[in-house]
Amino acid sequence: MTDAFVKLPQKGIPKGEILEIMAQLKKSDSNWKGGRTWSLVYYAGDDHTELLKEAYNMFFSENALNPFAFPSLKKFETEVVSMAAHILGGGENAAGTMTSGGTESILMAVKTYREWARATKPEVKRPEMILPMTAHPAFEKAAHYFDVVPVHVPVGDDFRADIGAARGAINDNSILMVGSAPGYPHGVIDSISEMAAIAAEKGIGFHVDACLGGLLLPFIKKLGCQIPDFDFSVPGVTSISADLHKYGFAAKGASVIIYRSEDLRRYQFFVYTDWSGGIYASPGMPGTRPGGAIAAAWACLVAMGEDGYLRSAEQIMKTTKSLTDGIGAIPGLYILGKPDASVFAFTSDEVDIYAVGDAMEARGWNMDRQQMPPSLHIMVTLAHGRIVEQFLTDLEASVAYVRENPSASSEGMAALYGMTAKLPDRGIVRDLVLQFLDNLYRI
């Protein structure tokens, strides 16, 4: 293994040596292909991945900043947006754009409603948006970036937004209410119909964060799963974000932000007409937009088709049931709430769940940890169908190990998470995280 490259090498490194260095480094990464991770990567098989690579590489150098230079990318993006809008019940009037991922989709939604309020509610000087406590932190980032005040509402015992609290949070400064489909922490869909009706009654926007479920929920519903309505079929829903690179199985980074109408989408765009370099127009946050991600998303959607998404949804939900049934059968463990799809969290009142996570890590599983309450998080993909039995065997053994070794709670990540969970001053936790981020960028 080579030393760290703190400065540019005096002479360029040969291709073969570069690739060998990278291959060696990759060996220490999580084994997502073997189903050993429960987030971050959505794998639909080698053949599908090869298609994405070929499509991406065909447009590797193209830049969607200028649609006149690359009309192919314009075609791909407009058709991807149209297909996604129809999947989400948007019909002919819906309009949107592709983005680099769920965070950008959410940022663009919040920016859009801020601009909409400036144009239609000039009396609002300090705009607010109403967020369930379980809403994705990207909304907090958007609030920070665009100077919109986040107003948090609690969730009930079912982890869905408290409807009464949501209604009570609306005031003259409110411009937007948000619901999740599903929420990342517990996999439950907020009561979108009720919340959207309140938003419509009060004359504000309602955004559905379906970044996680937008390309899964419509298909499990067609398979007969009983899930709450969440898309544009619900009156009052004015926009939806949905990630294509999650359960859409597209290449990263690919997401869409869809609005009920072109009129609303127009507030997303940025235009500057007085630059000496010419008129500048941009649909989203970036200027340069990688053509490969757009092309690969189009190739993905037309290759999967409705039948492909139905097959994958059926397999994912079958795997999810096997996992939730198996976890629930292990003494001391239980699922939080009643998840609507393939995302859920589990915990224990008898053993330290963080220590269980550590024990699973020692067995080669990459486990995501959550807080309030402490839990381990699972996001089921196609890669997990073949590892259910081994996972459950290792999980049962890990629980037994923690029962027999109480000291495990004061070791490893269990100690870190346990400490931060108990700190009453969340500012201290923030400082610790900032220090962690600083350390990430030190060689």
Side-chain angles (χ1 to χ4, degrees):
M1 186 62 65
T2 183
D3 293 332
F5 291 106
V6 179
K7 297 180 181 180
L8 276 174
Q10 288 294 317
K11 294 182 64 177
I13 307 298
K15 170 185 173 182
E17 187 177 337
I18 291 170
L19 295 177
E20 177 60 24
I21 292 170
M22 297 176 77
Q24 290 299 319
L25 290 170
K26 187 176 175 64
K27 288 181 179 179
S28 62
D29 291 346
S30 295
N31 181 12
W32 56 265
K33 197 171 183 180
R36 291 274 168 166
T37 63
W38 298 97
S39 62
L40 303 174
V41 179
Y42 297 76
Y43 174 59
D46 287 343
D47 289 345
H48 182 77
T49 300
E50 286 306 311
L51 168 66
L52 298 185
K53 289 179 179 178
E54 290 184 31
Y56 199 110
N57 286 337
M58 189 181 297
F59 293 86
F60 180 85
S61 298
E62 279 72 8
N63 184 350
L65 173 63
N66 186 341
F68 301 109
F70 304 111
S72 58
L73 297 181
K74 174 185 177 298
K75 171 183 170 64
F76 295 148
E77 180 172 10
T78 54
E79 291 183 8
V80 165
V81 169
S82 177
M83 286 186 278
H86 279 84
I87 290 170
L88 296 168
E92 300 299 329
N93 295 324
T97 70
M98 284 187 65
T99 69
S100 62
T103 292
E104 188 191 350
S105 290
I106 289 169
L107 289 173
M108 288 297 88
V110 175
K111 184 264 187 188
T112 294
Y113 288 106
R114 188 195 68 177
E115 298 304 303
W116 166 78
R118 285 177 174 176
T120 63
K121 298 176 178 287
E123 70 279 6
V124 175
K125 305 302 181 185
R126 194 168 179 267
E128 299 180 359
M129 63 175 167
I130 297 159
L131 302 174
M133 292 296 295
T134 48
H136 195 277
F139 289 100
E140 306 295 333
K141 182 183 284 190
H144 179 73
Y145 285 177
F146 300 128
D147 201 22
V148 175
V149 178
V151 178
H152 301 108
V153 297
V155 296
D157 293 340
D158 59 358
F159 298 103
R160 292 178 169 84
D162 184 302
I163 300 300
R167 178 183 288 277
I170 297 177
N171 60 41
D172 291 341
N173 291 320
S174 302
I175 64 170
L176 172 65
M177 185 182 291
V178 172
S180 302
Y184 178 90
H186 312 104
V188 299
I189 301 173
D190 284 321
S191 301
I192 302 297
S193 294
E194 294 177 76
M195 296 173 74
I198 294 169
E201 174 192 331
K202 300 296 184 179
I204 65 174
F206 187 86
H207 180 78
V208 176
D209 174 19
C211 287
L212 186 54
L215 271 291
L216 177 67
L217 295 177
F219 299 104
I220 69 171
K221 192 168 189 176
K222 286 189 175 183
L223 290 171
C225 293
Q226 298 300 308
I227 61 171
D229 293 334
F230 75 95
D231 60 11
F232 285 114
S233 66
V234 177
V237 170
T238 51
S239 60
I240 303 176
S241 52
D243 283 1
L244 305 176
H245 60 214
K246 288 192 172 73
Y247 287 109
F249 304 110
K252 295 178 178 64
S255 178
V256 290
I257 170 68
I258 309 291
Y259 302 96
R260 189 174 282 276
S261 69
E262 285 187 352
D263 290 342
L264 186 55
R265 180 183 62 180
R266 181 165 290 190
Y267 293 107
Q268 176 179 308
F269 298 155
F270 176 81
V271 176
Y272 185 64
T273 60
D274 297 327
W275 181 39
S276 57
I279 294 174
Y280 181 89
S282 175
M285 294 290 285
T288 291
R289 303 170 70 213
I294 294 172
W298 181 88
C300 174
L301 289 173
V302 298
M304 289 289 292
E306 184 168 321
D307 61 335
Y309 282 118
L310 287 169
R311 284 195 304 271
S312 68
E314 185 174 30
Q315 184 175 336
I316 287 167
M317 293 307 294
K318 181 179 179 181
T319 302
T320 300
K321 188 176 189 310
S322 297
L323 284 165
T324 53
D325 287 350
I327 291 169
I330 296 174
L333 299 185
Y334 62 94
I335 308 296
L336 290 172
K338 294 182 179 180
D340 289 303
S342 59
V343 181
F344 62 92
F346 64 95
T347 191
S348 174
D349 295 331
E350 300 177 11
V351 294
D352 185 334
I353 200 66
Y354 293 148
V356 172
D358 285 355
M360 289 295 284
E361 297 267 356
R363 289 171 169 80
W365 300 96
N366 187 277
M367 303 300 299
D368 292 336
R369 294 152 177 83
Q370 298 191 142
Q371 59 180 350
M372 296 182 274
S375 61
L376 299 179
H377 188 263
I378 295 287
M379 194 144 47
V380 183
T381 73
L382 291 170
H384 296 122
R386 61 184 180 275
I387 55 81
V388 171
E389 185 176 346
Q390 185 62 58
F391 176 80
L392 293 173
T393 298
D394 286 351
L395 182 59
E396 187 170 17
S398 296
V399 171
Y401 172 81
V402 174
R403 284 188 192 277
E404 296 165 6
N405 297 272
S407 63
S409 297
S410 60
E411 302 169 352
M413 293 185 72
L416 173 63
Y417 274 84
M419 176 193 71
T420 56
K422 294 172 184 175
L423 283 172
D425 185 350
R426 302 309 289 177
I428 296 176
V429 178
R430 183 176 185 275
D431 289 341
L432 289 171
V433 175
L434 287 171
Q435 183 62 53
F436 171 78
L437 290 174
D438 279 336
N439 291 338
L440 283 179
Y441 288 92
R442 294 193 175 107
I443 295 176

